[in-house]
């Protein structure tokens, strides 16, 4: 049966990350259904994710958000992330949190690049998690990053 | 059937934001019912929102609050926001949080202006969310702001 | 039927605020029943409030607490307040949090005065909330404070 | 029927506080049963407390923990305390949190003394709470402290 | 009946800690089954742990994670740990949190060494907790550490 991927995104974000996810999903060998849910900002995402699970029967959700630079923005993002954790525990399903922080970049171009990279890589992660709990095991402890370059694993003995 | 919008507000706030919401709702092409619930401060809002969902059968709630300048005020607001997240997850319905922070403004006039703008824009957001999960999709990634001017979206490729 | 008001208080507090609440309740035109529950400190209050709702069938609870000056005290108070929010959401009933912070005052006399004022005003708020969701609406946006003087509402247009 | 007191403690703690609790309980006029549960550190305490309530049918639990000096230790302790609050709300029973912070003392001797005093006083509090919700009311607002000397109540009028 | 140990780990971690756990489990006198679950980062661990309990019927879970140096990393780790606490309370089972913080070490070699030591010791703790609530009581108050050397207990009288 076709698996369904929920994608929740925001008006607050300065980058429309949905097309990046859609393209990755479209390029996958299997066919997936997509349900999109757009909300004002990150604090509206958790309940949207939960509705995507319960009403729209999604098997996994990708939550696309952007966080401002001010201290109040960071607290909002923390509240959203805490609730996203609760939504996952209530649903027993994964929500891949693709949050971009406006202060992790130097300019708009870098903001765009990180948003695109992080959305694409986490979409690939979502597709892997849908396959099973060991689909990503090959990469365990390998220092993988989303939005930035991988830092790699280390081993001494 | 007429949809019902809950509006929870506080005595602590220095601006009565209810009239702004009411006007926006009144100007909408559809007819909506309104239920109002007034509490002392932001920490009393979450349970009021939950009661508006469960006892008064609201379909969505707008939570109007104001946050003081002291560190203790910021912690109170964080506690209120965390509980508002929980209330949303329990109800599977949206609560639009219209919180104004006394330290994001320089004077009373600006405080009033931001409160009005944020309340009006989030009421419009509430009306859109009542229509469906893609009613706001047109604005996804467009850098929309409530209380301040939009910053716009970016795209590089 | 006589409504029941729970009052939870602590041994940690340096001010016994219960008599202030009791007097305000006694002066009300209606008759109310009171259930008191004393615990060691603020972190013991949330479950006491929940027991006052569930075992003692209180309709509303007033939680009287005092917070020390040290960073660890502030974290404890935050944990207590977070749990009080959860207790409210579980009960669908209000808990009026009357917390006094030892560092918001200059001396013992001021500590006493703020504790008394905050307890009295929040007891009046509790009585109003028992009447209904719009009993406090007359004061919405009026900058009301408990423990300190009201700052008043603002309006520009 | 004999009441049962759960005592959860950790390997991380530098002081074995269990004997202090046991002695206080043994000196009480009534007879109590004790169930002990030892875990690695404070973050393992909340679920141990919950298991003491649900599987071992304890009527109250004393959680004995110690918190390190580093910022990461303080965050761990905050996470543990937050979960202890949740465990209380789930069980409708008290957990007396006897946490000693390594940075509230100047040397090992003081660390030991505070741990002993706090464990003993909170065991007495536990015994009182088992008697009923007003067993501690005589001390309400009296500035009682555990681990340190009482600061006393104040009254002005 | 053979007990089942869940091991959840991440791609973000720079050290693959699974083999350390596996070896300790393999050296135990009893036979245990192992279920592994690999996720992108620490924020994906809590729901993986919950699924290991509910879908894969694990009796205990070891959560292997690594936390970056930036402030945003610390907040992520806090959110993950808070949710891991919730997952434990929902399952009434232990999750041994083996988190290594990149800023607690001076170089990669030390990072590896701490990760290995912490994973091994917490696996031994997991095996003990599976035996019963007093299997670790011998070490209560002994200042045991994972990832670092024990600091030892103190006693004055």
């Amino acid at each position: 049966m076709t698996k369904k991927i929920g994608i929740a995104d925001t008006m607050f974000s300065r980058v429309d990350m949905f097309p990046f996810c859609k393209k990755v999903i479209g390029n996958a060998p299997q066919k997936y259904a997509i349900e999109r849910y757009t909300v004002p900002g990150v604090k509206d995402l958790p309940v949207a994710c939960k509705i995507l699970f319960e009403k729209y029967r999604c098997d996994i959700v990708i939550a696309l958000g952007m966080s401002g630079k001010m201290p109040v923005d960071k607290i909002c993002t923390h509240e959203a992330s805490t609730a996203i954790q609760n939504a996952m525990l209530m649903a027993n399903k994964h929500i891949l949190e693709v949050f971009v922080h406006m202060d992790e970049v130097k300019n708009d171009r870098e903001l765009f690049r990180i948003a695109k990279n992080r959305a694409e890589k986490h979409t690939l992660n979502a597709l892997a998690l849908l396959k099973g709990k060991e689909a990503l095991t090959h990469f365990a402890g390998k220092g993988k990053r989303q939005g930035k370059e991988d830092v790699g694993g280390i081993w001494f003995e």
Side-chain angles (χ1 to χ4, degrees), chain A:
Chain A
M1 198 183 130
T2 305
K3 295 236 169 150
K4 200 185 266 189
I5 299 171
I7 299 179
D9 61 355
T10 71
M11 293 159 49
F12 183 95
S13 172
R14 297 193 63 205
V15 181
D16 180 8
M17 294 179 265
F18 178 82
F20 310 139
C21 303
K22 195 182 171 190
K23 191 170 177 187
V24 169
I25 295 168
N27 289 340
Q30 291 100 320
K31 200 179 171 320
Y32 297 96
I34 296 177
E35 292 281 355
R36 188 176 188 178
Y37 197 142
T38 306
V39 296
V42 287
K43 288 168 91 163
D44 309 299
L45 284 174
V47 73
C49 295
K50 186 150 179 277
I51 294 170
L52 283 169
F53 285 135
E54 296 187 11
K55 186 170 169 191
Y56 296 95
R57 301 284 149 201
C58 292
D59 298 289
I60 198 162
V61 170
I62 300 166
L64 306 169
M66 196 164 275
S67 171
K69 294 178 189 202
M70 306 299 291
V72 70
D73 295 318
K74 293 184 194 311
I75 296 170
C76 285
T77 308
H78 172 51
E79 290 154 2
S81 294
T82 301
I84 282 177
Q85 288 293 332
N86 289 337
M88 281 193 264
L89 295 179
M90 286 166 163
N92 275 356
K93 296 201 175 78
H94 285 282
I95 298 170
L96 275 294
E97 196 185 282
V98 181
F99 278 12
V100 184
H101 305 268
M102 286 189 184
D103 60 356
E104 64 175 311
V105 299
K106 286 188 296 286
N107 53 48
D108 283 1
R109 184 174 291 269
E110 196 185 353
L111 182 67
F112 182 85
R113 192 178 54 72
I114 287 185
K116 182 169 185 287
N117 183 276
R118 192 165 288 159
E120 289 171 347
K121 286 192 184 170
H122 266 315
T123 304
L124 288 170
N125 289 337
L127 297 179
L129 287 169
L130 283 177
K131 294 200 198 310
K133 72 185 180 40
E134 292 186 84
L136 293 171
T137 294
H138 180 69
F139 302 111
K142 292 286 186 291
K144 305 296 279 186
R145 298 292 180 268
Q146 295 81 32
K148 302 195 173 171
E149 278 184 44
D150 297 341
V151 295
I154 56 175
W155 194 265
F156 296 93
E157 218 150 34

